[in-house]
Amino acid sequence: MLIVARYWVRQVLQPPSIPIHIDDPVGAFAVHSINGMISTFFVGFLGQAELTLNKKAGLFLGGGFDLFGIQLLGVVAIAVLIIAFSFLMFGSLKALKRLRVDPKADHISIDAYEHGASVWSNVYAIKQFVEEDKNRTKTPGVSAINRE
């Protein structure tokens, strides 16, 4: 089941976040928001009357659209709240020029930039990264980070 869930997140849910420019390298948007919405909808589809607060069964268990409608309203309300709060928070941070770290920190890692050490020093030492970076060929205009 874990393999199916991992495939679902990486191959189905995460790619739609790329064209809308969600900066999410670890897939947190897909895991928490999309899976949360799907789980909420499943309560509306498969909820058992004795386990719900309104004593209504889900759509597939003969309860009609009542429970699903409540779940849908909840998902929409939470999505509107999160989108509005995100625009306010990230817009404020962007206006204050606090949304991104220094480009040098972005390049060498925030741990090395802020603390002079790597969290994974036993896996990938900062000195090793710097040496490899010096030997890497530079291609103008190509970056892992889109700074437009």
Side-chain angles (χ1 to χ4, degrees):
M1 192 62 167
L2 183 61
I3 293 170
V4 172
R6 184 168 186 259
Y7 174 81
W8 175 254
V9 170
R10 294 296 277 164
Q11 303 301 324
V12 178
L13 299 179
Q14 196 170 8
S17 66
I18 295 169
I20 57 175
H21 302 289
I22 295 176
D23 188 9
D24 185 17
V26 296
F29 176 76
V31 169
H32 297 288
S33 64
I34 304 298
N35 282 339
M37 286 186 240
I38 290 169
S39 299
T40 303
F41 289 143
F42 271 109
V43 172
F45 290 136
L46 301 170
Q48 296 177 357
E50 59 273 8
L51 299 177
T52 62
L53 293 176
N54 64 0
K55 301 300 180 201
K56 301 271 185 173
L59 181 64
F60 297 154
L61 298 178
F65 283 95
D66 291 347
L67 184 59
F68 180 73
I70 292 168
Q71 298 301 97
L72 180 63
L73 177 65
V75 166
V76 169
I78 290 170
V80 168
L81 176 73
I82 295 302
I83 290 168
F85 182 76
S86 296
F87 272 112
L88 285 172
M89 182 181 68
F90 290 120
S92 300
L93 288 171
K94 188 174 183 178
L96 295 170
K97 305 243 187 273
R98 299 308 239 170
L99 187 58
R100 291 282 182 188
V101 297
D102 186 278
K104 184 177 179 187
D106 226 355
H107 183 71
I108 66 168
S109 90
I110 192 72
D111 299 319
Y113 183 79
E114 292 285 333
H115 310 292
S118 172
V119 172
W120 302 323
S121 58
N122 60 335
V123 176
Y124 201 65
I126 295 300
K127 289 179 184 178
Q128 179 185 356
F129 175 78
V130 171
E131 287 302 315
E132 287 178 7
D133 190 53
K134 285 179 186 175
N135 297 330
R136 190 177 299 133
T137 59
K138 303 293 182 192
T139 306
V142 175
S143 174
I145 300 162
N146 185 2
R147 290 195 168 90
E148 293 179 31

